[in-house]
Amino acid sequence: MSGTVMKREGRQATLKQSNLGRGLQKASLGMFSFMADKGVFHMVLSLLLGRAIILSSMAPFSVAFLAVIWWLKRPLVLPVTIMMAAGASTYSFTHAGFVVGASTTFLLLSLALRRTSHPQKWLPTIALVASLIPRTASLALLDRWQLYELTLMLAEGVLTFILVLIFMQSLPLLSPQKYHPTLKNEEIVCLIILLASVLTGMIGWQIQGVAVVDVFARYLVILLAYIAGAAIGSTVGVVTGLVLSLSNMDHIYQMSLLAFSGLLGGLLKEGKKLGVSAGLAVGTLLIGFYVSSGGGLSDSIWASGWAIILFVLTPNSWVKRLSRYIPGTEEHNSEQQKYLQKVRDVTAVRVGKFSDVFKALSKSFNDLDHSKEAVEGTEEIDYFLSHVTEKTCQSCFKKEKCWVNQFDETHDLMTGLMMELDERGEPTRMTRKNVDAHCVKSQKLIDTMNHELSFYHANKQLKKQVLESRRFVAEQLQGVSDVMSTFAKEIVKEREHHEQKEQIIYNALERMGMDIQKLEIYTLDAGNIDLELVVEINNYRGEGAKIIAPVLSDILGETIVVTMEEISPYPNGRCYLTFGSAKHYAIETGAAHAAKGGGFISGDSFTMMELGRGKYALAISDGMGNGERAHEESMETLRLLKQILQSGMQESVAIQSINSILSLRTNDEIFSTLDLAVIDLHKATSKFIKVGSTPSFIKRGDQILTVESGNLPMGIIPEVDVDMTNEQLKAGDLLIMLSDGILDGHNHVENVEIWFKRKIKEVYSSEPQVVADLLLEEVIRTHRGSIHDDMTILVARIDRYMPEWSSIPTEKKQA
């Protein structure tokens, strides 16, 4: 009982700590946002940039910063100017005078920018001119027109121009409202230059002999080295050290110290904050001894110590938040994965909605057909009788008696007459007697009804075709809906975390001496296992297929093979391997074909293709006739078949689609046959669809099985009833598919199928290509060497898949 209470109290304490951490994070972010919105943050920056000087007399930072503030936050222009003047006055009154003069010049020149549509294009130039005018006035008053002074003045103007461009890139990044999905390398460098310029304004401030600028410069370097690694850390060190050394030549060694510390800290980031701090400490000691032989080393050590303390006290939540914007970090990759997941979800929802639309359209076509079928018969008869009575009874003097007083009797009599004329072409004697007794114009009525029956049948046939077309469209829409629905489900299928299996695999490979860097399982569905592995191997010799795949097969209880491998060319390099389920069966194929008369262009076409999801298809299409036109028709049939089947649509719907396209595309009597076999490589089941094609044969030992169907060729009629035959294949079976040229033209053979079965039995080879060649050669020999028609033979052998390396047990099996 006490243990339960302690656990509950522990969970509550942990929850309070997490809530406190989130509260502090929200408070800090809220404070930063408040400072940025109200301009407090920009005031601090302007105060420090007002003090910033390089090469003892150049101050390009203040005017550049004011120009960007004028562009981004114009209401803050006057307060920023005052703060820059105040900061400059803490350095010298001469410098403050230049800052005030340059700022005033810029504000006066900026009045002309209000009328332009794109003022940001002119900002760098206006800032350059605003920097040159007060310097020129100062040189004129003091009469100091030396070459050195003029060079410094021009250099200051050029730096002002460049800094405006840099600040325009970097200052918006400090706004909390701006969305930063990823920082580019150029943006990172611009941001570092801005921060280094701000640090320049701290030069001269000391606390107990320790330079404040040294503390914050080193803190900035190790913070970014910890976040982004050695590359960014060394870059920050070089840029920050360069800017600081331009401000004070006594800081020239800072560039080496900061760059080396950033590089070393980034390399030791795996040791967390302690490792990065150690990198700064080592860099400080080495550079300190090298530069001054120990002189001033204590101040440098104190500066590094305070920087390390600030770094250790920095909340991890801040570090993680900054890491999101730096490419290559785990947090950035996680954000990218979240973004991709959102994109997948949105795409899946849209695809699902499209699927629902197609499904609703399909249902509407079906509902429309069913509702019309119910009333079709009576409506057609009523329409027919109305046309007949319009030409006969409308002008008859007995119209009222027949259609008002004796409506039911007249209607039944004419309906019966219509049925008999439709079936027999003439009425029976009894019906003719009744018609003569009832109608005064009986012969005219019979003649008119015979005439209208032709239109009645034509109209009925037209409506039947429209009805069949609607049914076909409904099936097509339903097929598209099914494909899109399946695609939507595949999109939203996320990686599942299989921690237990991952741990078992990791431990098994580790016991075998493998150095596993990364292991992720995407799916463990039977027949669809997918996982990836990153492993360090010295001189890769096929360990993926020889060792790792057999171990995975034993653990997962299914044959696993290597699906892709990227091997490092260096010793002990990282190798990227992906593994997946092996197919239970494999197919080896062969093909033999010949054109009529030994020509080059055959009316037969064939294809063998992987359909994905463990399916394999073989197809033969025979165009009507011979030559180039027949070849084009058969090739077009197979091209359409391949595209539709690879989209995931059902085989029967695919055949209907191709048939409709071929029947509607041309008025010429150009048709084609199709012989299709789709084999499931997991279960060895095969679907046969034969549209006007010859039988296929399955050789199983000494037994020969026949697969046949009686569908018409494609393109003859708009609607084809596709008969599908299913056969269970076995390992070692030979599937033989033929075009009609193989079995046609054997006038001396009484039963061609029995003859061809005997020829298949006589072939003792099990190699598909050899079987195809021998059978085609035997057929040509039978015709005394002549090729009377296009001939094609496809042969496929079904084999049970045998992995090259058997599974390795990871644990002793209990007896």
Side-chain angles (χ1 to χ4, degrees), residues 622-642:
D622 182 6
M624 187 67 70
N626 308 102
E628 187 172 352
R629 184 66 182 273
H631 176 73
E632 290 177 358
E633 287 297 322
S634 60
M635 284 295 295
E636 179 70 8
T637 300
L638 292 183
R639 185 186 66 81
L640 293 171
L641 176 70
K642 184 175 182 179

Side-chain angles (χ1 to χ4, degrees), residues 397-411:
F397 65 92
K398 294 182 64 178
K399 177 180 68 172
E400 186 173 352
K401 177 184 177 182
C402 296
W403 289 105
V404 177
N405 300 332
Q406 301 175 348
F407 177 82
D408 294 336
E409 183 181 351
T410 304
H411 186 275

Side-chain angles (χ1 to χ4, degrees), residues 47 72 122 221 343 360 418 434 472 604 607 612 656 782:
L47 177 67
L72 293 176
W122 297 96
V221 169
V343 172
M418 170 195 168
N434 294 334
F472 169 71
D604 295 348
T607 185
Q656 293 281 12
T782 306

Side-chain angles (χ1 to χ4, degrees), residues 90 99 104 157 186 190 201 307 336 352 368 387 533 584 624 755 760:
T90 61
V99 170
T104 304
E186 295 80 4
C190 291
Q336 291 295 104
L368 184 61
H387 286 297
L533 191 69
H584 296 161
M624 187 67 70
W755 171 81
I760 294 174

Side-chain angles (χ1 to χ4, degrees), residues 82 176 319 473 628 683 747:
I82 295 173
V319 175
V473 171
E628 187 172 352
K683 301 177 181 178
N747 298 325

Side-chain angles (χ1 to χ4, degrees), residues 515-576:
D515 186 6
I516 306 301
Q517 299 296 319
K518 179 183 177 183
L519 170 62
E520 287 197 17
I521 298 177
Y522 294 93
T523 176
L524 287 180
D525 297 340
N528 192 31
I529 291 177
D530 186 15
L531 62 91
E532 68 177 27
L533 191 69
V534 177
V535 58
E536 287 188 0
I537 299 177
N538 186 18
N539 296 327
Y540 182 80
R541 297 182 181 88
E543 285 84 351
K546 298 175 182 177
I547 299 177
I548 300 177
V551 170
L552 295 176
S553 301
D554 180 72
I555 295 174
L556 300 177
E558 187 176 332
T559 304
I560 305 298
V561 294
V562 177
T563 56
M564 187 179 70
E565 55 184 21
E566 294 179 5
I567 309 304
S568 172
Y570 307 106
N572 292 318
R574 293 189 174 187
C575 302
Y576 173 77

